[in-house]
Amino acid sequence: MPQVPQTFDALAVRTWCGLALRALGRAREEIDAINVYPVADGDTGTNLYLTVESAAAAVEALFAGYEAVAVPAPAAAGADGSGAAGEPATAGGAGVPLADAIRAMAHGALIGARGNSGTILAQLLRGMAQVLAAEGETAHTDGRGLCLALRNAADSARGAVAHPVEGTVLTVASAAADAALGVEGDCGTVALAAYAGAGAALTATTGQLDVLERAGVVDAGGRGLLAVLGALAETFTGEAPRAPGPGEETAPGASGAPGAVSSPGATGSDSTPGAGGTGARRSGTEHGQRTAGQVAPDGPHGHGADAGTACGDGSAESGHPAFEVIYLLEAEDTAVDRLRDRLDFLGDSLVVVGGDGLWNVHVHVDDAGAAVEAGVEAGRPYRIRITHFGLGDAHTGSGAGRPPRERAQRAVVAVVPGEGLAGLYSEAGATTVLARPDEPPASGELVEAVRRAHAREVVLLPNDADLRHTAAAAAEQARAEGVRVALIPTRSAVQGIAALAVHEPGRRFDEDVVAMTSAAGATRYAEVAVAERQSWTMAGICQAGDVLGLIDGDVAVIGTDVTATAEAVLDRMLAAGGEMVTLVLGDEAPESITAHLEARVREAYLAVDTVVYRGGRQGALLLIGVE
């Protein structure tokens, strides 16, 4: 078992971010599926994932800043299986203050918060930061400090919602804090108690809201919070919290009835109910159904009210607000107090979170202009997003009044590891997102690339196994914007090249996707890289400076010479057959390696063709594909 933090320190924050992101990535689709309150718009899991992704990115940026001046950089992702996006951190952190780390997490969540669920989570993290980063004689890093942090988080989140409703994420957060205060022990003991309390409260949400009871599901926002709390417990114990046994805390309908969900505390590291996509489904009669007192439907971009935060006392069946308005706001506290009153008068589903001059504002209104003007009166609003619920479109004011540009029928969006491949993909007609070494793109970058492609249908090629959750979240958001997206799980740029080679825009979309998926799946991939530290691998122990040959993501060859290692990797791949070898050279690869490998293929493997591309600064010395 890897060493786990004993107190709440900067490494614990970093680890928690990674585990929470991974947990929400695995549970995202299932959480989306049970999002029936206040409307069945199915975006709560995606919103929470995007929010935590922003928080994790902020923490990683902080650590990178300290490590750049204090210690050598960690090994490149992929060379030894460490440092992958969404994976828990296992090393580093010396010299990083807890206050800086937890504040970075809260700030990242605040600026990247999506939907009411994400906005509430951002305030929960801010509430924890206020305690854990507090200055004074008493350090708030032990179990007692975590208890106080959870209590302050729940109270501050409830205070940020204009009209709280029970049976939502607010209820689950309060129950977690109550359960934590009832125990004494270290951070692991407290986190496990909070998780257990949250799980019991989550189960009870089904009976607290009629719409949840009719659908036979638990609250989606609360369920996402349970995943985050499960990650917190795993941070301090090294193990995911245990799933309840038969008969323990089972939700209504969990016996397999339509719309049922399994009990809180799912199997799997995400620690959410029914993780893995089994059981949770929307009730057909609930999709879009509203009752008196429920809030307005969410917009297509997933920023609107979800199960986490409902006004509960505003909207009538036929008169819900038409727009969702979201913006970041730089303003003084006193101005924000006036803003809350003004927005509460204008609409519902009001949540304002933040502090220290920076706020995240979310509201549903009929007069979107008035909501933005209220922000201008309070301070400086930016990152303004207005969603019209009925039209299914979201834009800011730029370009208003101009006819929209005609969309292309189909496009390919691909993540590429180097400038050379970016040019190659672009020449083939793809819209590219550059993934620089140790800088994987966020889902927001992928969504922006889909928007740039401006097509009705998009094929998304992540070209990296570690980007699967990021790409899935981006695809879900793009679909909410009306784009038909097919995600092909390419794990290497050479698989993307194979897929792009058979792409035919004139074919039916499904046929094109099947052909591209088949081509990618038939391509084995490998890379040659240099290990940056000692590590255990599938091929034995490697030392810093060793040349690693990875086949399908696992280290298969450990050598000292780049060319010899590459030849050994190529021989292993071609031993299983092949018709085409693709070589993508990085800038640091030896110039002679191309001629050597081409000659090897020509002499030892009849009827096998070789094609060579320049990848530029792609991280790996060499990428190899065999079709």
Side-chain angles (χ1 to χ4, degrees), residues 489-502 515-526 551-552 573 577-578 580-582 624-627:
T490 49
R491 294 172 290 174
S492 171
V494 292
Q495 288 188 322
I497 291 173
L500 201 56
V502 300
M516 295 177 71
T517 302
S518 178
T523 303
R524 299 188 69 197
Y525 66 96
I551 299 177
D552 293 339
M573 297 179 74
M580 170 73 74
V581 172
T582 300
I624 304 174
V626 174
E627 302 175 47

Side-chain angles (χ1 to χ4, degrees), residues 265-367:
T267 58
S269 65
D270 51 272
S271 304
T272 56
T278 59
R281 293 293 182 269
R282 284 187 288 246
S283 167
T285 60
E286 288 301 329
H287 188 80
Q289 182 175 339
R290 299 171 60 249
T291 59
Q294 287 180 255
V295 300
D298 284 354
H301 291 269
H303 309 288
D306 51 49
T309 56
C311 291
D313 62 352
S315 303
E317 177 66 30
S318 58
H320 59 270
F323 295 96
E324 175 190 63
V325 179
I326 305 168
Y327 50 80
L328 290 177
L329 177 70
E330 293 179 356
E332 299 295 330
D333 291 8
T334 54
V336 172
D337 290 339
R338 294 191 297 270
L339 174 65
R340 282 194 179 98
D341 292 339
R342 175 62 176 158
L343 294 179
D344 195 25
F345 174 78
L346 288 173
D348 62 24
S349 193
L350 173 62
V351 185
V352 181
V353 304
D356 300 323
L358 180 62
W359 308 82
N360 190 307
V361 179
H362 174 284
V363 66
H364 291 179
V365 293
D366 282 318
D367 190 343

Side-chain angles (χ1 to χ4, degrees), residues 2 14 63 143 145 159 167 206 228-229 239 260 264 285 298 311 322 334 349 359 402 445 469 471 576 607 615:
R14 189 185 198 187
F63 271 72
T206 307
V228 175
L229 291 173
E239 297 180 356
T285 60
D298 284 354
C311 291
T334 54
S349 193
W359 308 82
R402 293 182 296 178
E445 294 178 71
H469 296 317

Side-chain angles (χ1 to χ4, degrees), residues 184-267:
E184 294 183 2
D186 58 14
C187 288
T189 302
V190 171
L192 284 171
Y195 174 80
L202 177 61
T203 299
T205 61
T206 307
Q208 290 176 287
L209 292 172
D210 289 342
V211 65
L212 298 180
E213 188 169 15
R214 289 195 299 270
V217 297
V218 295
D219 173 68
R223 187 161 166 190
L225 178 59
L226 188 68
V228 175
L229 291 173
L232 179 64
E234 187 175 354
T235 297
F236 292 107
T237 65
E239 297 180 356
R242 183 186 66 86
E248 293 184 71
E249 304 294 352
T250 53
S255 60
V261 298
S262 58
S263 60
T267 58

